[in-house]
Amino acid sequence: MAQRYEINLNSSPFIIIFLYFCTQMGILYIVPTPVGNMEDMTLRAIRILKEADLVLAEDTRTSGILLKHFQIQQHLLSHHKFNEHGTSASIVERLQAGQTIALISDAGTPGISDPGFFLVREAVRAGVEVQTLPGATAFVPALVSSGLPCDRFCFEGFLPQKKGRQTKIQSLADEERTMVFYESPYRVLKTLQQFAEVMGPDRQVSVCREISKVHEESVRGTLQEVITHFTEHEPRGEFVIVLAGRNEK
């Protein structure tokens, strides 16, 4: 929420000047981008990106294709997990100086298993207004179309690749809510097998791949049935695993 100030004309001129500049801060927009189909881009997202003084992109080459498609010519600056701790301070200074800045990731909503959290936290701490646009994110359509309860769920994102992976899976064995995970094609079969070992082969699961793309597919059934499917069919694309909670039959 934007901060409001009431200026007393009898106040010190230095205070008046300070408050004036506080009210002239820019806005940080978090802008979702399509996870597959370009038609999933919202009209508001296009407008914000065209109006922004600067667009922060996880990968400027990938985002450059998106911006060119929608005839957006704003300057792109690289902002990703490897440099965000070093660049966020200067970005916040730009926002405090009145610039409007938009943050996008390669696909989906920034901050959801993508860079974004750190910059948002620093902007909020500095008193900068942050607005997040509704839009594309991979796990929502996967969850809703899974056929599993979606009134209560927990989003786990990517599991640890090595250290702590098995411990994390064990900690979720008694979770009663529907669970949502992101996974790469190289580890999806291993992940399903680990789930079956800890939670049992009869646990219900829905595995969705290539959401909003030409080859979108959902494979539903027990863990054992879905493991058999991806043993016979090589996993390709980006995956969302939606796993039933402990008591869901």
Side-chain angles (χ1 to χ4, degrees), residues 19 23 65 73 130 136 180 221:
L19 293 177
T23 61
I65 296 172
Q73 300 178 347
V130 178
V180 184

Side-chain angles (χ1 to χ4, degrees), residues 169-238:
I169 294 174
Q170 289 281 359
S171 72
L172 295 170
D174 293 327
E175 173 61 61
E176 296 183 355
R177 296 170 296 178
T178 301
M179 294 164 277
V180 184
F181 305 86
Y182 284 164
E183 194 52 277
S184 78
Y186 310 108
R187 289 189 299 272
V188 67
L189 187 55
K190 174 185 175 182
T191 298
L192 293 170
Q193 291 168 339
Q194 290 176 319
F195 285 159
E197 291 170 4
V198 173
M199 304 173 190
D202 293 330
R203 182 75 68 95
Q204 291 290 313
V205 67
S206 174
V207 178
C208 191
R209 71 180 189 92
E210 295 294 87
I211 292 172
S212 191
K213 299 178 182 177
V214 174
H215 300 292
E216 179 176 342
E217 176 188 31
S218 289
V219 181
R220 306 176 182 89
T222 65
L223 279 167
Q224 186 56 60
E225 289 169 342
V226 176
I227 287 169
T228 299
H229 173 86
F230 285 111
T231 300
E232 298 172 352
H233 303 83
E234 181 184 359
R236 294 182 179 179
E238 298 300 319

Side-chain angles (χ1 to χ4, degrees), residues 31-32 41-50 72 133:
V31 182
M41 191 74 167
T42 69
L43 295 175
R44 185 183 176 202
I46 295 170
R47 176 179 63 80
I48 292 297
L49 292 177
K50 286 184 175 181
I72 300 168
L133 277 62

